[in-house]
mmCIF file with all atom_site columns, all heavy atoms in Angstrom:
data_model
loop_
_atom_site.group_PDB
_atom_site.id
_atom_site.type_symbol
_atom_site.label_atom_id
_atom_site.label_alt_id
_atom_site.label_comp_id
_atom_site.label_asym_id
_atom_site.label_entity_id
_atom_site.label_seq_id
_atom_site.pdbx_PDB_ins_code
_atom_site.Cartn_x
_atom_site.Cartn_y
_atom_site.Cartn_z
_atom_site.occupancy
_atom_site.B_iso_or_equiv
_atom_site.pdbx_formal_charge
_atom_site.auth_seq_id
_atom_site.auth_comp_id
_atom_site.auth_asym_id
_atom_site.auth_atom_id
_atom_site.pdbx_PDB_model_num
ATOM   1   N N   . GLY A 1 9   ? -102.612 81.033 -110.189 1.00 98.00 ? 36  GLY A N   1
ATOM   2   C CA  . GLY A 1 9   ? -103.485 80.526 -111.242 1.00 98.00 ? 36  GLY A CA  1
ATOM   3   C C   . GLY A 1 9   ? -103.692 79.042 -111.034 1.00 98.00 ? 36  GLY A C   1
ATOM   4   O O   . GLY A 1 9   ? -102.767 78.240 -111.229 1.00 98.00 ? 36  GLY A O   1
ATOM   5   N N   . GLY A 1 11  ? -105.735 76.898 -112.644 1.00 97.00 ? 38  GLY A N   1
ATOM   6   C CA  . GLY A 1 11  ? -106.439 76.251 -113.760 1.00 97.00 ? 38  GLY A CA  1
ATOM   7   C C   . GLY A 1 11  ? -105.783 74.903 -114.025 1.00 97.00 ? 38  GLY A C   1
ATOM   8   O O   . GLY A 1 11  ? -105.242 74.270 -113.105 1.00 97.00 ? 38  GLY A O   1
ATOM   9   N N   . TYR A 1 12  ? -105.797 74.459 -115.266 1.00 97.00 ? 39  TYR A N   1
ATOM   10  C CA  . TYR A 1 12  ? -105.225 73.148 -115.606 1.00 97.00 ? 39  TYR A CA  1
ATOM   11  C C   . TYR A 1 12  ? -103.745 73.089 -115.272 1.00 97.00 ? 39  TYR A C   1
ATOM   12  O O   . TYR A 1 12  ? -103.266 72.176 -114.589 1.00 97.00 ? 39  TYR A O   1
ATOM   13  C CB  . TYR A 1 12  ? -105.453 72.848 -117.094 1.00 97.00 ? 39  TYR A CB  1
ATOM   14  C CG  . TYR A 1 12  ? -106.896 72.535 -117.365 1.00 97.00 ? 39  TYR A CG  1
ATOM   15  C CD1 . TYR A 1 12  ? -107.792 73.540 -117.712 1.00 97.00 ? 39  TYR A CD1 1
ATOM   16  C CD2 . TYR A 1 12  ? -107.378 71.242 -117.210 1.00 97.00 ? 39  TYR A CD2 1
ATOM   17  C CE1 . TYR A 1 12  ? -109.127 73.263 -117.923 1.00 97.00 ? 39  TYR A CE1 1
ATOM   18  C CE2 . TYR A 1 12  ? -108.715 70.952 -117.417 1.00 97.00 ? 39  TYR A CE2 1
ATOM   19  C CZ  . TYR A 1 12  ? -109.580 71.976 -117.772 1.00 97.00 ? 39  TYR A CZ  1
ATOM   20  O OH  . TYR A 1 12  ? -110.903 71.690 -117.953 1.00 97.00 ? 39  TYR A OH  1
ATOM   21  N N   . VAL A 1 13  ? -102.995 74.082 -115.738 1.00 97.00 ? 40  VAL A N   1
ATOM   22  C CA  . VAL A 1 13  ? -101.537 74.054 -115.549 1.00 97.00 ? 40  VAL A CA  1
ATOM   23  C C   . VAL A 1 13  ? -101.176 74.231 -114.078 1.00 97.00 ? 40  VAL A C   1
ATOM   24  O O   . VAL A 1 13  ? -100.375 73.467 -113.525 1.00 97.00 ? 40  VAL A O   1
ATOM   25  C CB  . VAL A 1 13  ? -100.882 75.133 -116.442 1.00 97.00 ? 40  VAL A CB  1
ATOM   26  C CG1 . VAL A 1 13  ? -99.420  75.337 -116.073 1.00 97.00 ? 40  VAL A CG1 1
ATOM   27  C CG2 . VAL A 1 13  ? -101.021 74.740 -117.907 1.00 97.00 ? 40  VAL A CG2 1
ATOM   28  N N   . ASP A 1 32  ? -105.405 82.048 -106.315 1.00 98.00 ? 59  ASP A N   1
ATOM   29  C CA  . ASP A 1 32  ? -106.281 82.300 -107.455 1.00 98.00 ? 59  ASP A CA  1
ATOM   30  C C   . ASP A 1 32  ? -107.260 83.413 -107.088 1.00 98.00 ? 59  ASP A C   1
ATOM   31  O O   . ASP A 1 32  ? -107.615 83.568 -105.916 1.00 98.00 ? 59  ASP A O   1
ATOM   32  C CB  . ASP A 1 32  ? -107.042 81.028 -107.860 1.00 98.00 ? 59  ASP A CB  1
ATOM   33  C CG  . ASP A 1 32  ? -107.482 81.063 -109.328 1.00 98.00 ? 59  ASP A CG  1
ATOM   34  O OD1 . ASP A 1 32  ? -108.368 81.882 -109.655 1.00 98.00 ? 59  ASP A OD1 1
ATOM   35  O OD2 . ASP A 1 32  ? -106.930 80.287 -110.140 1.00 98.00 ? 59  ASP A OD2 1
ATOM   36  N N   . VAL A 1 33  ? -107.678 84.164 -108.120 1.00 97.00 ? 60  VAL A N   1
ATOM   37  C CA  . VAL A 1 33  ? -108.669 85.226 -107.872 1.00 97.00 ? 60  VAL A CA  1
ATOM   38  C C   . VAL A 1 33  ? -110.074 84.631 -107.739 1.00 97.00 ? 60  VAL A C   1
ATOM   39  O O   . VAL A 1 33  ? -110.980 85.305 -107.270 1.00 97.00 ? 60  VAL A O   1
ATOM   40  C CB  . VAL A 1 33  ? -108.690 86.276 -109.015 1.00 97.00 ? 60  VAL A CB  1
ATOM   41  C CG1 . VAL A 1 33  ? -107.495 87.189 -108.926 1.00 97.00 ? 60  VAL A CG1 1
ATOM   42  C CG2 . VAL A 1 33  ? -108.775 85.607 -110.381 1.00 97.00 ? 60  VAL A CG2 1
ATOM   43  N N   . LYS A 1 37  ? -112.059 78.242 -106.594 1.00 97.00 ? 64  LYS A N   1
ATOM   44  C CA  . LYS A 1 37  ? -110.855 77.414 -106.811 1.00 97.00 ? 64  LYS A CA  1
ATOM   45  C C   . LYS A 1 37  ? -110.017 77.329 -105.535 1.00 97.00 ? 64  LYS A C   1
ATOM   46  O O   . LYS A 1 37  ? -109.488 76.264 -105.202 1.00 97.00 ? 64  LYS A O   1
ATOM   47  C CB  . LYS A 1 37  ? -110.031 77.992 -107.962 1.00 97.00 ? 64  LYS A CB  1
ATOM   48  C CG  . LYS A 1 37  ? -110.787 77.934 -109.289 1.00 97.00 ? 64  LYS A CG  1
ATOM   49  C CD  . LYS A 1 37  ? -109.875 77.958 -110.485 1.00 97.00 ? 64  LYS A CD  1
ATOM   50  C CE  . LYS A 1 37  ? -110.700 77.762 -111.751 1.00 97.00 ? 64  LYS A CE  1
ATOM   51  N NZ  . LYS A 1 37  ? -109.933 77.602 -112.944 1.00 97.00 ? 64  LYS A NZ  1
ATOM   52  N N   . CYS A 1 85  ? -98.998  80.746 -113.521 1.00 98.00 ? 112 CYS A N   1
ATOM   53  C CA  . CYS A 1 85  ? -99.696  79.778 -114.394 1.00 98.00 ? 112 CYS A CA  1
ATOM   54  C C   . CYS A 1 85  ? -101.040 80.334 -114.838 1.00 98.00 ? 112 CYS A C   1
ATOM   55  O O   . CYS A 1 85  ? -101.981 79.579 -115.079 1.00 98.00 ? 112 CYS A O   1
ATOM   56  C CB  . CYS A 1 85  ? -99.931  78.463 -113.644 1.00 98.00 ? 112 CYS A CB  1
ATOM   57  S SG  . CYS A 1 85  ? -98.438  77.700 -113.032 1.00 98.00 ? 112 CYS A SG  1
ATOM   58  N N   . VAL A 1 86  ? -101.145 81.654 -114.939 1.00 98.00 ? 113 VAL A N   1
ATOM   59  C CA  . VAL A 1 86  ? -102.438 82.255 -115.312 1.00 98.00 ? 113 VAL A CA  1
ATOM   60  C C   . VAL A 1 86  ? -102.651 82.138 -116.818 1.00 98.00 ? 113 VAL A C   1
ATOM   61  O O   . VAL A 1 86  ? -101.722 81.869 -117.579 1.00 98.00 ? 113 VAL A O   1
ATOM   62  C CB  . VAL A 1 86  ? -102.507 83.734 -114.872 1.00 98.00 ? 113 VAL A CB  1
ATOM   63  C CG1 . VAL A 1 86  ? -102.473 83.841 -113.357 1.00 98.00 ? 113 VAL A CG1 1
ATOM   64  C CG2 . VAL A 1 86  ? -101.393 84.545 -115.505 1.00 98.00 ? 113 VAL A CG2 1
ATOM   65  N N   . THR A 1 88  ? -103.321 82.956 -120.766 1.00 98.00 ? 115 THR A N   1
ATOM   66  C CA  . THR A 1 88  ? -102.826 83.913 -121.774 1.00 98.00 ? 115 THR A CA  1
ATOM   67  C C   . THR A 1 88  ? -103.650 83.680 -123.041 1.00 98.00 ? 115 THR A C   1
ATOM   68  O O   . THR A 1 88  ? -103.160 83.081 -124.005 1.00 98.00 ? 115 THR A O   1
ATOM   69  C CB  . THR A 1 88  ? -101.324 83.699 -122.058 1.00 98.00 ? 115 THR A CB  1
ATOM   70  O OG1 . THR A 1 88  ? -101.096 82.309 -122.343 1.00 98.00 ? 115 THR A OG1 1
ATOM   71  C CG2 . THR A 1 88  ? -100.459 84.133 -120.909 1.00 98.00 ? 115 THR A CG2 1
ATOM   72  N N   . VAL A 1 100 ? -102.906 89.471 -117.900 1.00 98.00 ? 127 VAL A N   1
ATOM   73  C CA  . VAL A 1 100 ? -103.023 88.861 -116.566 1.00 98.00 ? 127 VAL A CA  1
ATOM   74  C C   . VAL A 1 100 ? -101.628 88.510 -116.022 1.00 98.00 ? 127 VAL A C   1
ATOM   75  O O   . VAL A 1 100 ? -101.362 88.676 -114.828 1.00 98.00 ? 127 VAL A O   1
ATOM   76  C CB  . VAL A 1 100 ? -103.960 87.621 -116.594 1.00 98.00 ? 127 VAL A CB  1
ATOM   77  C CG1 . VAL A 1 100 ? -104.078 87.016 -115.205 1.00 98.00 ? 127 VAL A CG1 1
ATOM   78  C CG2 . VAL A 1 100 ? -105.338 88.010 -117.092 1.00 98.00 ? 127 VAL A CG2 1
ATOM   79  N N   . VAL A 1 104 ? -100.321 89.951 -112.501 1.00 98.00 ? 131 VAL A N   1
ATOM   80  C CA  . VAL A 1 104 ? -99.824  89.091 -111.418 1.00 98.00 ? 131 VAL A CA  1
ATOM   81  C C   . VAL A 1 104 ? -98.396  89.512 -111.034 1.00 98.00 ? 131 VAL A C   1
ATOM   82  O O   . VAL A 1 104 ? -98.036  89.529 -109.858 1.00 98.00 ? 131 VAL A O   1
ATOM   83  C CB  . VAL A 1 104 ? -99.886  87.596 -111.831 1.00 98.00 ? 131 VAL A CB  1
ATOM   84  C CG1 . VAL A 1 104 ? -99.136  86.718 -110.857 1.00 98.00 ? 131 VAL A CG1 1
ATOM   85  C CG2 . VAL A 1 104 ? -101.338 87.149 -111.929 1.00 98.00 ? 131 VAL A CG2 1
ATOM   86  N N   . GLN A 1 107 ? -98.630  92.375 -108.828 1.00 98.00 ? 134 GLN A N   1
ATOM   87  C CA  . GLN A 1 107 ? -99.070  91.986 -107.483 1.00 98.00 ? 134 GLN A CA  1
ATOM   88  C C   . GLN A 1 107 ? -97.921  91.302 -106.716 1.00 98.00 ? 134 GLN A C   1
ATOM   89  O O   . GLN A 1 107 ? -97.691  91.587 -105.539 1.00 98.00 ? 134 GLN A O   1
ATOM   90  C CB  . GLN A 1 107 ? -100.269 91.029 -107.582 1.00 98.00 ? 134 GLN A CB  1
ATOM   91  C CG  . GLN A 1 107 ? -101.527 91.719 -108.115 1.00 98.00 ? 134 GLN A CG  1
ATOM   92  C CD  . GLN A 1 107 ? -102.620 90.729 -108.496 1.00 98.00 ? 134 GLN A CD  1
ATOM   93  O OE1 . GLN A 1 107 ? -102.360 89.592 -108.875 1.00 98.00 ? 134 GLN A OE1 1
ATOM   94  N NE2 . GLN A 1 107 ? -103.865 91.170 -108.405 1.00 98.00 ? 134 GLN A NE2 1
ATOM   95  N N   . SER A 1 125 ? -96.787  80.177 -117.703 1.00 98.00 ? 152 SER A N   1
ATOM   96  C CA  . SER A 1 125 ? -97.798  80.419 -118.740 1.00 98.00 ? 152 SER A CA  1
ATOM   97  C C   . SER A 1 125 ? -97.098  80.472 -120.093 1.00 98.00 ? 152 SER A C   1
ATOM   98  O O   . SER A 1 125 ? -95.918  80.826 -120.183 1.00 98.00 ? 152 SER A O   1
ATOM   99  C CB  . SER A 1 125 ? -98.478  81.772 -118.518 1.00 98.00 ? 152 SER A CB  1
ATOM   100 O OG  . SER A 1 125 ? -99.144  81.795 -117.288 1.00 98.00 ? 152 SER A OG  1
ATOM   101 N N   . THR A 1 126 ? -97.839  80.154 -121.143 1.00 98.00 ? 153 THR A N   1
ATOM   102 C CA  . THR A 1 126 ? -97.269  80.224 -122.483 1.00 98.00 ? 153 THR A CA  1
ATOM   103 C C   . THR A 1 126 ? -97.224  81.679 -122.935 1.00 98.00 ? 153 THR A C   1
ATOM   104 O O   . THR A 1 126 ? -98.275  82.318 -123.070 1.00 98.00 ? 153 THR A O   1
ATOM   105 C CB  . THR A 1 126 ? -98.121  79.377 -123.459 1.00 98.00 ? 153 THR A CB  1
ATOM   106 O OG1 . THR A 1 126 ? -98.115  78.031 -122.988 1.00 98.00 ? 153 THR A OG1 1
ATOM   107 C CG2 . THR A 1 126 ? -97.570  79.440 -124.867 1.00 98.00 ? 153 THR A CG2 1
ATOM   108 N N   . GLU A 1 159 ? -94.723  74.974 -119.927 1.00 96.00 ? 186 GLU A N   1
ATOM   109 C CA  . GLU A 1 159 ? -95.447  73.743 -119.574 1.00 96.00 ? 186 GLU A CA  1
ATOM   110 C C   . GLU A 1 159 ? -95.744  72.960 -120.853 1.00 96.00 ? 186 GLU A C   1
ATOM   111 O O   . GLU A 1 159 ? -96.213  73.524 -121.831 1.00 96.00 ? 186 GLU A O   1
ATOM   112 C CB  . GLU A 1 159 ? -96.748  74.162 -118.883 1.00 96.00 ? 186 GLU A CB  1
ATOM   113 C CG  . GLU A 1 159 ? -97.718  73.045 -118.639 1.00 96.00 ? 186 GLU A CG  1
ATOM   114 C CD  . GLU A 1 159 ? -97.177  72.005 -117.712 1.00 96.00 ? 186 GLU A CD  1
ATOM   115 O OE1 . GLU A 1 159 ? -97.072  72.284 -116.521 1.00 96.00 ? 186 GLU A OE1 1
ATOM   116 O OE2 . GLU A 1 159 ? -96.862  70.892 -118.175 1.00 96.00 ? 186 GLU A OE2 1
ATOM   117 N N   . GLU A 1 163 ? -103.753 67.973 -121.608 1.00 95.00 ? 190 GLU A N   1
ATOM   118 C CA  . GLU A 1 163 ? -104.895 67.660 -120.754 1.00 95.00 ? 190 GLU A CA  1
ATOM   119 C C   . GLU A 1 163 ? -105.317 66.215 -121.012 1.00 95.00 ? 190 GLU A C   1
ATOM   120 O O   . GLU A 1 163 ? -105.301 65.743 -122.147 1.00 95.00 ? 190 GLU A O   1
ATOM   121 C CB  . GLU A 1 163 ? -106.054 68.615 -121.047 1.00 95.00 ? 190 GLU A CB  1
ATOM   122 C CG  . GLU A 1 163 ? -105.772 70.025 -120.538 1.00 95.00 ? 190 GLU A CG  1
ATOM   123 C CD  . GLU A 1 163 ? -106.873 71.014 -120.872 1.00 95.00 ? 190 GLU A CD  1
ATOM   124 O OE1 . GLU A 1 163 ? -107.997 70.585 -121.185 1.00 95.00 ? 190 GLU A OE1 1
ATOM   125 O OE2 . GLU A 1 163 ? -106.599 72.227 -120.813 1.00 95.00 ? 190 GLU A OE2 1
ATOM   126 N N   . LYS A 1 212 ? -91.584  76.529 -126.588 1.00 98.00 ? 239 LYS A N   1
ATOM   127 C CA  . LYS A 1 212 ? -92.993  76.152 -126.438 1.00 98.00 ? 239 LYS A CA  1
ATOM   128 C C   . LYS A 1 212 ? -93.742  76.369 -127.757 1.00 98.00 ? 239 LYS A C   1
ATOM   129 O O   . LYS A 1 212 ? -94.557  75.547 -128.177 1.00 98.00 ? 239 LYS A O   1
ATOM   130 C CB  . LYS A 1 212 ? -93.606  77.002 -125.306 1.00 98.00 ? 239 LYS A CB  1
ATOM   131 C CG  . LYS A 1 212 ? -95.087  76.809 -125.117 1.00 98.00 ? 239 LYS A CG  1
ATOM   132 C CD  . LYS A 1 212 ? -95.425  75.442 -124.562 1.00 98.00 ? 239 LYS A CD  1
ATOM   133 C CE  . LYS A 1 212 ? -96.920  75.223 -124.559 1.00 98.00 ? 239 LYS A CE  1
ATOM   134 N NZ  . LYS A 1 212 ? -97.269  73.840 -124.252 1.00 98.00 ? 239 LYS A NZ  1
HETATM 135 N N1  . NAD B 2 .   ? -104.297 73.835 -120.554 1.00 61.51 ? 178 NAD B N1  1
HETATM 136 C C1  . NAD B 2 .   ? -103.252 73.277 -121.159 1.00 61.51 ? 178 NAD B C1  1
HETATM 137 O O1  . NAD B 2 .   ? -103.307 72.145 -121.637 1.00 61.51 ? 178 NAD B O1  1
HETATM 138 C C2  . NAD B 2 .   ? -101.961 74.019 -121.232 1.00 61.51 ? 178 NAD B C2  1
HETATM 139 C C3  . NAD B 2 .   ? -100.777 73.309 -121.537 1.00 61.51 ? 178 NAD B C3  1
HETATM 140 C C4  . NAD B 2 .   ? -99.578  73.997 -121.593 1.00 61.51 ? 178 NAD B C4  1
HETATM 141 C C5  . NAD B 2 .   ? -99.549  75.363 -121.376 1.00 61.51 ? 178 NAD B C5  1
HETATM 142 N N2  . NAD B 2 .   ? -100.706 76.037 -121.108 1.00 61.51 ? 178 NAD B N2  1
HETATM 143 C C6  . NAD B 2 .   ? -100.600 77.477 -120.845 1.00 61.51 ? 178 NAD B C6  1
HETATM 144 O O2  . NAD B 2 .   ? -100.617 77.674 -119.424 1.00 61.51 ? 178 NAD B O2  1
HETATM 145 C C7  . NAD B 2 .   ? -101.317 78.867 -119.092 1.00 61.51 ? 178 NAD B C7  1
HETATM 146 C C8  . NAD B 2 .   ? -102.496 78.538 -118.195 1.00 61.51 ? 178 NAD B C8  1
HETATM 147 O O3  . NAD B 2 .   ? -103.375 77.703 -118.905 1.00 61.51 ? 178 NAD B O3  1
HETATM 148 P P1  . NAD B 2 .   ? -104.621 77.013 -118.173 1.00 61.51 ? 178 NAD B P1  1
HETATM 149 O O4  . NAD B 2 .   ? -105.259 76.156 -119.188 1.00 61.51 ? 178 NAD B O4  1
HETATM 150 O O5  . NAD B 2 .   ? -104.161 76.407 -116.890 1.00 61.51 ? 178 NAD B O5  1
HETATM 151 O O6  . NAD B 2 .   ? -105.518 78.307 -117.856 1.00 61.51 ? 178 NAD B O6  1
HETATM 152 P P2  . NAD B 2 .   ? -106.883 78.378 -117.017 1.00 61.51 ? 178 NAD B P2  1
HETATM 153 O O7  . NAD B 2 .   ? -107.705 79.439 -117.664 1.00 61.51 ? 178 NAD B O7  1
HETATM 154 O O8  . NAD B 2 .   ? -107.442 77.014 -116.838 1.00 61.51 ? 178 NAD B O8  1
HETATM 155 O O9  . NAD B 2 .   ? -106.400 78.883 -115.599 1.00 61.51 ? 178 NAD B O9  1
HETATM 156 C C9  . NAD B 2 .   ? -105.968 80.173 -115.328 1.00 61.51 ? 178 NAD B C9  1
HETATM 157 C C10 . NAD B 2 .   ? -106.260 80.477 -113.861 1.00 61.51 ? 178 NAD B C10 1
HETATM 158 O O10 . NAD B 2 .   ? -105.668 81.726 -113.534 1.00 61.51 ? 178 NAD B O10 1
HETATM 159 C C11 . NAD B 2 .   ? -106.553 82.352 -112.597 1.00 61.51 ? 178 NAD B C11 1
HETATM 160 N N3  . NAD B 2 .   ? -106.235 83.783 -112.485 1.00 61.51 ? 178 NAD B N3  1
HETATM 161 C C12 . NAD B 2 .   ? -106.617 84.797 -113.300 1.00 61.51 ? 178 NAD B C12 1
HETATM 162 N N4  . NAD B 2 .   ? -106.121 85.958 -112.844 1.00 61.51 ? 178 NAD B N4  1
HETATM 163 C C13 . NAD B 2 .   ? -105.415 85.682 -111.720 1.00 61.51 ? 178 NAD B C13 1
HETATM 164 C C14 . NAD B 2 .   ? -104.658 86.455 -110.803 1.00 61.51 ? 178 NAD B C14 1
HETATM 165 N N5  . NAD B 2 .   ? -104.526 87.774 -110.955 1.00 61.51 ? 178 NAD B N5  1
HETATM 166 N N6  . NAD B 2 .   ? -104.056 85.828 -109.784 1.00 61.51 ? 178 NAD B N6  1
HETATM 167 C C15 . NAD B 2 .   ? -104.178 84.494 -109.619 1.00 61.51 ? 178 NAD B C15 1
HETATM 168 N N7  . NAD B 2 .   ? -104.873 83.697 -110.455 1.00 61.51 ? 178 NAD B N7  1
HETATM 169 C C16 . NAD B 2 .   ? -105.472 84.292 -111.495 1.00 61.51 ? 178 NAD B C16 1
HETATM 170 C C17 . NAD B 2 .   ? -107.938 82.055 -113.152 1.00 61.51 ? 178 NAD B C17 1
HETATM 171 O O11 . NAD B 2 .   ? -108.946 82.258 -112.191 1.00 61.51 ? 178 NAD B O11 1
HETATM 172 C C18 . NAD B 2 .   ? -107.763 80.577 -113.560 1.00 61.51 ? 178 NAD B C18 1
HETATM 173 O O12 . NAD B 2 .   ? -108.075 79.737 -112.494 1.00 61.51 ? 178 NAD B O12 1
HETATM 174 C C19 . NAD B 2 .   ? -101.710 79.505 -120.422 1.00 61.51 ? 178 NAD B C19 1
HETATM 175 O O13 . NAD B 2 .   ? -100.700 80.404 -120.812 1.00 61.51 ? 178 NAD B O13 1
HETATM 176 C C20 . NAD B 2 .   ? -101.752 78.320 -121.370 1.00 61.51 ? 178 NAD B C20 1
HETATM 177 O O14 . NAD B 2 .   ? -101.537 78.716 -122.715 1.00 61.51 ? 178 NAD B O14 1
HETATM 178 C C21 . NAD B 2 .   ? -101.904 75.393 -121.019 1.00 61.51 ? 178 NAD B C21 1
#
Side-chain angles (χ1 to χ4, degrees):
Y39 288 91
V40 168
D59 204 291
V60 285
K64 296 203 175 187
C112 302
V113 295
T115 51
V127 181
V131 169
Q134 292 168 331
S152 298
T153 300
E186 171 63 72
E190 289 177 18
K239 175 69 187 170

